[in-house]
Amino acid sequence: MVKRNADNKTLAQSWHPETVQVRGGTKRSEFGETSEAIFLNSGFCYDNAEIAESRFNGEAPGYVYSRYLNPTLDMLEQRLTLMEEGAEACCVMGSGMAAVFASLMSHLRAGDHIIAHRVLFGSCHYILAEICPRFGMEVSFIDGTQPNAWEEAMRPNTKAVFIETPANPTLDVLDIAHIAGICNAHQVMLIVDNILAGNGAQAPLLLGADVVVYSTTKHMDGQGRTLGGAILGSESFIKETVLPFHRHTGPALSPFNAWVVLKSLETYSLRMARHQSNALAVANALEAHPDVAHVHYPLLPSHPHYDVARKQMNGGGNMIAFSVQGGKKAAFSLMNNLQLIDISNNLGDSKSLITHPATTTHATLTTEAQEAIGIGAGMMRLSVGLEHVDDLIADLINALR
Ligand SMILES: *Cc1c(COP(=O)(O)O)cnc(C)c1O
């Protein structure tokens, strides 16, 4: 008899994160496979017409179509729900941006007002600045690092607050509990893009947020292979609001990609611990270098929002923002002199990657807008990987010369 309790939810809730990451949500088929199987199928067959009817009207459990759900996607949704403290349900999607878009569009309508911190991942900024206004929504971008700014920006028609913390690429840290308190008082939904901190390093739902979004493309895959995304929150929000939107608009995740992420999650805690210890050591080495103008890493005491970071993060993530004197020319020269670290705008990969936000991910902003939010011409964003930290520091020091 094959042990079939692999998907026993009550049992899984008592497990530590490392155990959940290896076993949470696993469903075994009649063959008793050890590793999770890939169900690379679009449709399902029913033994009779009555069963088809009862699955469609929701009376019987079971799958109907992979645009909705399939066993591999289901395993990933359950594992992510178990991993995210405070989450009751999850919906996985084809990319992080599909998840961000659905977290807003599944419930907002014309006339609604959204507030966002002014530093955001480029595509999140595009959705809020360009797409939402086209559908009759108003969007305010504020300096969310100022505690009073949130209350001041609230309007009677405010329906959602969207934040990223740490924010990409400046690594501003926003006080989630403080913002959640204001949102709660105004009955406004707080959506947190938790990608830069990562699951485990920060638990927005426990701090009062309503919804968390991830790009599984980043640390969850962690090896730069697949695109994917996820929305987590209450059972009612996911089931009643997100699922109908997701099912009928079609941003479905490929079961193959879901399977890759399931396998990667088995090493998630191990990898994140190394990402974080490497990043802290690299941040310290950069800060000690005379040619580095400034270094932002949430858990460096010199970070302007260090106290907030200490309060809400139990790991600093793997992202560092740093600047050199001499603007774009000096930054390009440093990047071109690196022999190990790759120039790439991706992040959360086992390979260390560096990018120049002003000319790539945030190039659509004017120079004034970039400078206003702290993206200087000499600033670079480094995603610290899993290489030996001494090799990473040597590469940077050598390139700084
Ligand atoms: C990468 C990223 C996204 C988008 O995720 P994709 O999987 O690339 O669509 C959104 N927000 C942040 C902060 C990201 O780093």
Side-chain angles (χ1 to χ4, degrees), residues 26-346:
T26 298
K27 289 180 195 296
R28 289 198 172 125
S29 77
E30 74 233 62
F31 301 114
E33 64 281 357
T34 317
S35 173
E36 293 73 8
I38 314 178
F39 287 84
L40 206 52
N41 65 310
S42 44
F44 295 85
C45 306
Y46 314 99
D47 286 347
N48 55 53
E50 286 76 13
I51 292 181
E53 181 186 29
S54 63
R55 285 205 197 161
F56 268 83
N57 68 22
E59 278 167 17
Y63 306 102
V64 297
Y65 193 49
S66 290
R67 169 149 50 72
Y68 288 26
L69 196 62
N70 107 350
T72 311
L73 301 172
D74 199 357
M75 286 192 265
L76 180 59
E77 290 187 350
Q78 289 191 30
R79 187 168 296 174
L80 292 177
T81 306
L82 289 162
M83 282 171 64
E84 188 66 28
E85 287 183 282
E88 293 171 359
C90 172
C91 179
V92 292
M93 302 207 186
S95 71
M97 285 321 303
V100 168
F101 192 60
S103 76
L104 296 163
M105 287 298 179
S106 62
H107 60 106
L108 296 176
R109 61 188 69 232
D112 288 348
H113 174 236
I114 310 166
I115 309 172
H117 176 51
R118 60 190 189 171
V119 183
L120 287 172
F121 183 73
S123 298
C124 299
H125 188 270
Y126 183 85
I127 288 178
L128 290 165
E130 306 292 333
I131 300 179
C132 289
R134 257 201 264 145
F135 288 82
M137 298 169 206
E138 300 173 288
V139 183
S140 303
F141 292 101
I142 64 167
D143 178 0
T145 65
Q146 303 299 318
N148 295 335
W150 295 98
E151 183 67 51
E152 284 162 15
M154 286 287 167
R155 298 183 194 165
N157 61 335
T158 306
K159 289 285 154 50
V161 163
F162 185 89
I163 59 169
E164 223 172 81
T165 178
N168 182 42
T170 59
L171 305 184
D172 284 349
V173 175
L174 305 175
D175 188 336
I176 300 175
H178 168 72
I179 299 165
I182 294 165
C183 287
N184 214 5
H186 291 267
Q187 296 194 315
V188 167
M189 180 176 284
L190 174 58
I191 304 165
V192 179
D193 177 334
N194 202 31
I195 295 167
L196 258 59
N199 166 279
Q202 174 174 280
L205 299 174
L206 292 191
L207 296 167
D210 300 293
V211 177
V212 169
V213 292
Y214 285 107
S215 159
T216 64
T217 316
K218 309 295 167 58
H219 312 83
M220 288 178 176
D221 175 303
Q223 288 136 87
R225 299 161 297 185
T226 60
L227 287 168
I231 305 184
L232 293 122
S234 69
E235 178 119 15
S236 64
F237 178 66
I238 299 294
K239 297 250 151 85
E240 288 156 31
T241 304
V242 176
L243 282 190
F245 181 88
H246 169 260
R247 289 174 171 181
H248 302 299
T249 58
L253 177 64
S254 155
F256 178 78
N257 289 1
W259 176 80
V260 172
V261 176
L262 274 167
K263 301 319 296 171
S264 281
L265 287 176
E266 295 179 358
T267 55
Y268 180 78
S269 281
L270 293 171
R271 291 186 288 103
M272 286 308 278
R274 179 60 64 84
H275 272 304
Q276 291 176 343
S277 62
N278 275 1
L280 184 59
V282 169
N284 276 314
L286 286 171
E287 191 162 55
H289 197 283
D291 295 338
V292 174
H294 83 254
V295 182
H296 279 184
Y297 179 69
L299 294 188
L300 274 191
S302 59
H303 191 289
H305 319 127
Y306 176 67
D307 292 342
V308 180
R310 277 288 299 273
K311 186 178 74 161
Q312 70 187 19
M313 301 178 78
N314 42 39
N318 79 317
M319 305 298 293
I320 298 173
F322 71 103
S323 294
V324 286
Q325 309 282 7
K328 175 179 163 185
K329 192 162 174 273
F332 274 28
S333 154
L334 186 154
M335 290 166 69
N336 292 340
N337 280 319
L338 291 166
Q339 293 182 312
L340 171 63
I341 298 168
D342 292 306
I343 300 172
S344 169
N345 49 288
N346 198 10

